[in-house]
Amino acid sequence: MRRNIILISILLCGMVLCWILYPDRASSGPYLDSAHGNTSYGVKRSATGFPADYAKGNCAHCHEQHASIGGAEPDPAGGPDKFLLMSPNFSGKTVIPYIQSDSVCFYCHYGSGTLQSPAFNNYSYSITFGGNPDATPNNIFNTFNSTSYHNLYDVYRFIAGLSGSKSFPNFPADSNPCSGCHNVHIAKKSCGKPAGSYDPTKSAISRPTGHDSLWGDDDIERLKTNFTSYYQSPYWYGSWNYEPNNSPVYDGSNLPDYNTFCTDCHNNTNIIYSTALGRYLRAIDWVTPGGETGGDKHGKNDATNGIDIDNPYASSPLGISVGFVLACTDCHEPHGAPNVMLIRQVVNGGVLYRTISSVTPTAGDCTPPFPAGSKELGYLCNRCHMDDADAFGGTANKWCYIHHESTDRPYPLNQCGFCHSGGDGGGGGGESMSCETVSRNPINCNCCHFHGSDDNAAPDGRRTNRRTF
Ligand code: HEC
Ligand code: HEC
Ligand code: HEC
Ligand code: HEC
Ligand code: HEC
Ligand code: HEC
Ligand code: HEC
Ligand code: HEC
């Protein structure tokens, strides 16, 4: 709060000079060190009516005293706006498509038509931190206008306490939704990729519970040590090096602790509404151990018995065969994705086999005997787990081996009709059958695999009650 009063007085007494006159003020050092305040690549608005001689990094590229500059009203017109911004902070748009005026950020973080000069690019997480050679999306605006996206209206309502179970002290009712994860006055540029270098001490993000400081810039805020010592970095695209910067570092000591970051909102207690999904989100327990009675096995809870997994996990330099902890960003984009549920386009060194256009089962899909269902979710799983192609040279994205033949299989190969429809290669028969020869209609993976899942959907008597995510 004190910081806000100082900032507001700085703003009112003239945005051009004050941070130079009061270099000890809370905002000055951090602002000048920030990406926006940077004197070589920081903010520079180039718009009709805007003075061309304002220095790069000047607050006035985003803020306008009295909604005007020198008596004229430069683009974007209108105002005065909250926080003396050049445009409304956020329009309140409930679903995509977003247009440029929906967020003040989009005036610059935009493709052709950006007010920033020179224009610049930001890419998806899969590109910047995963090495996807694809060059699109190349700006934040397009990334949010994707198949799935963090809905700005819901994020805004959640952080401001207008919806759901949580509010954070730093977000008044006119906050920008992007501020839930970024602090515009201190955010730095860590990436540089796909061109340039990566510097983990320069973080772009702030936790919603710690809005006034960056998250991940100090080494105690990295995934290794802060969250776990059992993180194995996935491969960088097409390489034996690892994320997030195509280097040999394999243990998350160079990665912001995204688990702590994302679980500020997505934990086991917060109630979060999603307008796009039309329902409340599932709670996520990434921390509770206990095997089949614990939280998610991709989190701190350990896999039970064995896993059928690809590299780098199968021969991990960590020297473990189970007990791995994954990061949310190993599977998810933070902004938007061409797959549903913010699922990344590149995972563990390769592009998903195909686009995942739906995971949610349709009515009847999860009642045994199961009708033929979608196995699109398998495109994600087989970036790390062994499908039949990996297990015995069978068909890609066919999942018989893991469920029926592995030493850790949940379901012996018998009584097919309890679960499957269709197919050939034997019926009620016994263990003489083999995944190499049988075929059956697939079952929708999402009946049994989602955050917090077990195999409750399996028929009576065949249920294993294992934790299946
Ligand atoms: C006046 C133009 C402008 C506006 C408005 C603007 N930005 Fe930026 N932003 C930039 C520029 C320029 C950079 C540095 C880009 C670069 O070189 O990658 C940047 C960098 C960033 C970074 C650091 C990461 C990086 O890759 O550089 C974050 C995070 C960020 N902006 C978030 C926001 C948010 C959130 C908003 C709205 C609340 C916003 N920006 C509004 C121009 C702008
Ligand atoms: C990249 C655009 C951008 C730049 C550059 C920028 N601001 Fe801001 N400022 C914002 C946005 C957006 C908000 C609203 C924050 C929110 O909604 O969370 C804001 C809010 C504020 C506030 C209200 C209190 C707060 O912190 O939320 C003050 C005061 C302020 N800015 C002062 C400044 C000063 C002084 C400078 C230059 C040293 C500056 N700003 C540079 C975008 C910018
Ligand atoms: C739910 C949290 C969240 C929200 C909401 C969010 N971001 Fe991000 N943003 C992230 C994360 C995580 C990263 C990637 C990590 C990093 O760069 O440190 C990121 C990265 C960025 C970057 C750097 C991109 C690059 O090339 O690496 C910019 C710029 C940015 N965000 C702008 C925005 C803008 C503008 C908005 C609102 C329209 C926004 N973000 C909303 C979490 C979020
Ligand atoms: C192994 C890949 C993977 C990891 C790691 C992962 N997720 Fe997910 N996530 C998924 C998949 C697949 C779905 C879609 C199925 C579902 O809804 O649970 C999903 C769905 C979600 C959803 C929507 C849930 C709903 O209501 O349907 C949220 C929120 C989410 N993930 C957040 C997170 C967070 C936060 C983390 C880290 C703590 C995380 N995820 C880690 C794969 C992953
Ligand atoms: C500031 C709070 C906040 C943070 C931090 C946050 N989220 Fe979310 N997230 C939300 C809200 C609110 C929704 C519901 C709106 C929606 O569905 O987009 C949501 C929805 C989601 C969904 C479902 C998206 C869909 O398809 O509708 C996924 C997946 C997800 N978040 C993953 C993540 C991951 C991964 C992180 C960390 C990188 C993260 N979230 C950080 C607030 C947050
Ligand atoms: C980025 C790599 C990655 C992706 C993608 C991934 N997993 Fe995993 N999964 C792992 C790792 C590593 C473990 C082992 C965790 C441990 O050791 O505690 C694991 C463990 C599991 C387990 C626990 C197995 C047991 O024996 O207890 C299940 C079930 C599982 N994954 C299902 C899935 C499904 C279903 C998908 C696709 C929707 C998926 N996973 C996607 C890496 C991944
Ligand atoms: C208790 C339920 C259950 C029973 C009984 C069962 N299966 Fe399965 N089966 C599964 C599950 C779950 C999967 C994984 C989802 C999938 O791949 O469709 C699977 C996968 C398969 C697949 C791979 C399908 C694909 O395209 O991915 C084949 C083939 C298969 N089972 C054959 C059989 C045969 C033959 C029998 C009888 C001898 C049988 N199953 C009995 C549950 C069962
Ligand atoms: C009827 C419930 C059910 C359905 C449907 C189902 N699975 Fe499974 N799956 C399980 C169970 C139970 C396990 C064993 C979990 C364990 O080992 O603790 C499992 C394990 C897995 C594993 C982890 C194996 C390992 O140990 O490495 C993957 C990956 C997986 N399933 C993928 C899929 C895919 C892809 C689909 C859809 C084609 C699917 N499953 C459909 C019940 C199901």
Side-chain angles (χ1 to χ4, degrees), residues 3-12 14-15 18-19 27-28 31-32 34 36-37 43 57-63 82-86 89 104-105 108-109 159 170-172 174-180 182-185 211-212:
R3 183 181 148 272
N4 286 357
I5 292 164
I6 293 168
L7 273 173
I8 286 162
S9 52
I10 292 173
L11 189 61
L12 292 176
M15 294 175 291
C18 280
W19 42 264
S27 73
S28 38
Y31 177 73
L32 290 175
S34 77
H36 291 124
V43 279
N58 192 312
C59 319
H61 294 296
C62 293
H63 291 284
K82 291 282 167 51
F83 307 111
L84 305 179
L85 285 165
M86 61 172 157
N89 209 358
V104 67
C105 316
C108 299
H109 290 273
I159 59 174
N170 273 301
F171 306 108
D174 33 27
S175 289
N176 194 298
C178 312
S179 298
H182 299 285
N183 182 325
V184 73
H185 299 121
H211 185 62
D212 288 337

Side-chain angles (χ1 to χ4, degrees), residues 253-327:
S253 55
N254 57 356
L255 189 73
D257 175 1
Y258 287 120
N259 291 349
T260 299
F261 174 77
C262 304
T263 57
D264 260 6
C265 296
H266 298 289
N267 58 26
N268 210 13
T269 52
N270 286 343
I271 294 168
I272 306 180
Y273 189 75
S274 168
T275 301
L277 299 175
R279 60 171 171 81
Y280 289 94
L281 295 181
R282 295 183 170 119
I284 294 183
D285 180 352
W286 215 242
V287 292
T288 310
E292 316 307 352
T293 57
D296 281 4
K297 290 171 169 176
H298 291 121
K300 279 188 175 165
N301 192 12
D302 290 350
T304 47
N305 302 317
I307 42 174
D308 295 290
I309 200 99
D310 304 324
N311 277 326
Y313 308 97
S315 52
S316 167
L318 290 173
I320 54 172
S321 56
V322 287
F324 296 99
V325 176
L326 277 69

Side-chain angles (χ1 to χ4, degrees), residues 336-350:
N339 302 301
V340 293
M341 295 290 186
L342 293 172
I343 289 168
R344 291 174 49 172
Q345 190 174 10
V346 156
V347 173
N348 193 25

Side-chain angles (χ1 to χ4, degrees), residues 146 165 358 362 372:
S146 295
S165 63
S358 82
T362 49

